[in-house]
Amino acid sequence: MPVSNSAFDLAIIGGGPAGYVAAIKAAQSGLKTALIEKEKVGGTCLHKGCIPTKTLLYSAELYRKFANAGEYGITTGSLNVDYPLIHRRKEYVVKRLFQGVQSLLKKNGVDVFSAEGRIISNQEVSIVSDGIETNRIKVKNIILATGSAPFIPKNIPYDKKYVLTSDDILLREEIPKSIIIVGGGAVGIEFACLFNAFGTEVTVLELLEDILPSEDKEINGTVKNLLIRRGVNVLTQTSLEKVEIENGVKLEIKGVNDISGNREFLHADLLLLAAGRVPLLDNIGIEEMSLNFDGQYLRTNEGMETSQRGVYAIGDITGAPLLAHKAINEGILSVTHLTGKDMHIINRKNIPRVVYSFPQVASIGLTQKEAEEMGYKVKIGKFPFAANSMAIIEGESLDGFVKIVSEEKYGEILGVHAIGHHVGEWMWGLSLNSILEGTVQEVSNAIFPHPTLSEALFEAAHSIVDKPICNAVE
C-alpha cells in the first residue's frame, strides 16, 4: 500500500472500468493518482458481469454449433457439456484480464489502495480497512466511480442458494434443471439463452409488455418468438407476488391486467433476480456534501463534475445506460475536463447497446416509436439476413434483420437496430457516423467488404435512399 499522508492530484474511489480507465488516463496526463478499490480492480464488469457472462455464453454458442454440426458437413460423436470445466475456463479468462489491469495500473504509476475510500472533504479522503481508518490522503480532485449492484426486492427471501443474483449464479458449477428469471432485460435474456442452450427448463417473468423493453418493438418481438420456439416460457405483463423456498422455489404470480385476483404458481430449482441494478453510494462520505441528484443517480455537468467543485462522478452512479463502455468514456471525459483539455461531449443517445443473446441484438439511438413520439417524420429502411451472403454461409440467416430509423427530409440517422450473428461487432460504426454527422445517404455511399454481415446495413440504407440491391430476394 502507498505510504500514508501522501498528497495526490487525484483520488478515484472505485476501480471498475470507469475508475481504472480514469486512473490510467490521469497518470498518463502527469497527475499523481490514487485508485481506491475495496475488492478487485476491474469491478463488476470484469469479475461479476460482462466478462464472465460472455465467456459462458461463448461456450454455449459453441455447444449450439456442435449440436448442429451436421448442417455444415461435420460429423461428431457423443456431445456432452462439462460445466465445471466451462466454469474453470471462465475463471481463467477473468484472472488473465485481472492481471492485465493490475499490470497496466502499475506500469502507468497509479498508486492502488486495496481498501474503502471515504470522502472527508473535497480535498481529503480517508482510507478504511475493516472499518478502521488506516490512512488519510490529501487530494486536489476526487472521482467517484463506485458502480452498482443487483436490485433485490425487500419482500424476496434472498438466500444465495435458491434465490440468486447475477453475481451469485456465476459462482455455481452446476447446470440447474429448471430456473425462473425475474426480469426480461439484457441480463435476464442472456442467462435465459445460456441455460436454455444447455437444456435447462427456463421461464422468464417480465412486468412490462415486452422483454428487452428498451429495444425497438420489432426487435424484442422477434427475440420473444425465438425464445418461445426454443422452449423458453416467456411471461410478460406478469408480476411476482410471493416467493417461498421449498427445496427449490415456489412463486406466486399474476397478470398485470388480471382484475379477477387469480394467482398462478410456478416451481423451479432456482430463481434468478435480474430486475435491474442500484447505484452504490452508501458509506462513501457524500452525505454532507449537498450533491445534486437525478432520482437515485448523481447529477453531473458535461464534464462529469458534480455540484461540488473538484468532485466528479462517473459510471453507473450517474444513471442509464448502465454499460461498461459508457462508464469508460465517462472516465476519459472526466480526466479530460479536470486537466483542462478540449472535450468531446458524450451524446447519450449515441451509446451502442448489445445483448449477447442467440442471435445478438445490437442498437443505437432512437427506436421507431421514440422517434415518432418526438415528432420526427421517419423513413424506415430494413433488410433481412435471409438475403445476406455471409449470414447464409454461416447458417445464421433466419429471423435476423437490420433496421434503420431515419429522418425523412435530410436523411439523419436517428437509430439503428439489428438482430443477427455478432451484430454488436459493427455497431461502433454507427456511433462514428453520428459523431461525423453522417446521413443515410453517406452510409449507402460507403464501400462494405463482401461477403460480410455488415452488408445488411448497406442494403438497409439503400432501401431508404432508393432500393436495396437484393430487394428481389427479399
Side-chain angles (χ1 to χ4, degrees):
M1 181 175 287
V3 295
S4 60
N5 300 317
S6 301
F8 291 88
D9 296 310
L10 173 63
I12 301 170
I13 302 176
Y20 80 73
V21 168
I24 291 169
K25 278 295 182 181
Q28 290 174 345
S29 297
L31 301 183
K32 182 173 174 57
T33 303
L35 180 63
I36 308 162
E37 170 54 55
K38 65 180 180 180
E39 296 184 11
K40 294 180 178 179
V41 291
T44 293
C45 178
L46 177 52
H47 299 285
K48 302 175 183 178
C50 318
I51 302 304
T53 55
K54 278 51 176 180
T55 305
L56 295 177
L57 284 161
Y58 184 72
S59 292
E61 185 178 20
L62 283 178
Y63 179 75
R64 290 178 66 249
K65 282 290 189 182
F66 280 121
N68 296 291
E71 297 178 11
Y72 303 89
I74 299 172
T75 302
T76 61
S78 177
L79 189 62
N80 299 297
V81 175
D82 187 338
Y83 198 71
L85 185 58
I86 291 173
H87 176 82
R88 287 196 292 276
R89 181 176 184 271
K90 174 207 66 173
E91 294 297 299
Y92 163 75
V93 171
V94 170
K95 181 179 179 181
R96 178 174 174 178
L97 292 173
F98 170 52
Q99 291 172 339
V101 173
Q102 288 179 306
S103 177
L104 284 171
L105 290 165
K106 182 177 181 180
K107 179 180 178 181
N108 284 281
V110 177
D111 289 325
V112 179
F113 293 82
S114 298
E116 296 181 52
R118 295 179 186 168
I119 299 175
I120 304 301
S121 71
N122 62 346
Q123 294 185 325
E124 200 169 27
V125 174
S126 174
I127 310 298
V128 179
S129 295
D130 297 323
I132 300 172
E133 182 179 83
T134 59
N135 206 338
R136 190 172 285 201
I137 59 176
K138 300 289 185 181
V139 299
K140 294 180 181 178
N141 297 280
I142 298 170
I143 294 178
L144 299 174
T146 47
S148 64
F151 169 65
I152 303 171
K154 292 182 180 180
N155 64 330
I156 301 295
Y158 170 57
D159 67 346
K160 298 187 180 183
K161 182 179 180 181
Y162 296 108
V163 180
L164 311 171
T165 66
S166 55
D167 291 357
D168 308 315
I169 204 163
L170 289 171
L171 301 176
R172 288 179 55 90
E173 295 189 39
E174 307 87 24
I175 299 173
K177 291 183 179 179
S178 58
I179 188 169
I180 299 170
I181 300 173
V182 178
V187 173
I189 296 307
E190 288 179 0
F191 277 107
C193 288
L194 172 70
F195 289 117
N196 172 255
F198 288 143
T200 300
E201 181 183 328
V202 179
T203 298
V204 176
L205 300 183
E206 171 56 53
L207 185 64
L208 301 178
E209 182 181 357
D210 298 305
I211 59 171
L212 300 179
S214 62
E215 301 299 332
D216 190 86
K217 200 166 186 66
E218 287 190 78
I219 294 287
N220 54 40
T222 300
V223 174
K224 181 179 179 180
N225 290 335
L226 279 169
L227 290 173
I228 291 172
R229 289 210 309 262
R230 292 172 184 164
V232 176
N233 186 22
V234 181
L235 302 176
T236 54
Q237 292 187 296
T238 301
S239 67
L240 176 58
E241 300 295 301
K242 187 178 180 181
V243 177
E244 295 179 5
I245 295 175
E246 297 179 357
N247 194 30
V249 290
K250 177 183 177 182
L251 274 64
E252 181 180 327
I253 64 172
K254 78 178 189 72
V256 172
N257 298 318
D258 188 348
I259 60 174
S260 66
N262 291 334
R263 300 289 196 272
E264 294 183 48
F265 295 90
L266 302 175
H267 297 80
D269 292 340
L270 299 177
L271 174 66
L272 173 61
L273 300 175
R277 300 180 67 84
V278 292
L280 293 172
L281 291 170
D282 293 336
N283 302 316
I284 59 173
I286 65 173
E287 296 80 5
E288 306 300 323
M289 300 193 74
S290 299
L291 300 181
N292 293 332
F293 283 76
D294 286 321
Q296 61 183 333
Y297 300 105
L298 283 172
R299 183 186 302 170
T300 68
N301 62 17
E302 292 181 334
M304 307 312 300
E305 190 172 24
T306 68
S307 52
Q308 175 67 56
R309 185 174 177 81
V311 178
Y312 293 75
I314 57 177
D316 287 1
I317 59 174
T318 66
L322 308 189
L323 299 171
H325 46 282
K326 170 257 196 184
I328 288 169
N329 274 270
E330 289 183 343
I332 296 171
L333 181 59
S334 63
V335 173
T336 302
H337 183 272
L338 69 87
T339 53
K341 298 177 182 177
D342 291 337
M343 296 188 304
H344 171 72
I345 305 303
I346 296 175
N347 178 359
R348 291 179 182 269
K349 295 178 181 178
N350 188 36
I351 299 174
R353 305 181 296 271
V354 183
V355 182
Y356 293 82
S357 48
F358 305 140
Q360 284 184 7
V361 168
S363 58
I364 189 170
L366 302 176
T367 65
Q368 180 177 348
K369 181 180 178 181
E370 288 170 339
E372 289 171 346
E373 288 178 345
M374 292 175 66
Y376 286 104
K377 190 172 183 180
V378 302
K379 193 170 183 180
I380 304 299
K382 186 177 173 184
F383 191 80
F385 278 112
N388 176 270
S389 301
M390 185 54 74
I392 295 171
I393 290 168
E394 294 184 350
E396 298 286 353
S397 62
L398 294 178
D399 301 294
F401 60 88
V402 177
K403 177 179 179 178
I404 298 176
V405 181
S406 70
E407 184 274 330
E408 185 178 66
K409 185 175 181 180
Y410 298 106
E412 177 189 358
I413 295 178
L414 303 174
V416 177
H417 311 275
I419 176 169
H421 189 52
H422 289 189
V423 288
E425 291 293 338
W426 43 268
M427 195 55 64
W428 68 270
L430 281 306
S431 177
L432 177 62
N433 182 76
S434 178
I435 291 171
L436 298 176
E437 298 182 347
T439 66
V440 70
Q441 177 73 59
E442 287 163 319
V443 172
S444 73
N445 290 339
I447 300 175
F448 289 72
H450 175 75
T452 61
L453 296 169
S454 64
E455 287 178 287
L457 177 65
F458 169 78
E459 296 280 15
H462 268 280
S463 72
I464 294 175
V465 173
D466 39 53
K467 289 184 179 180
I469 308 302
C470 298
N471 66 317
V473 177
E474 185 181 6

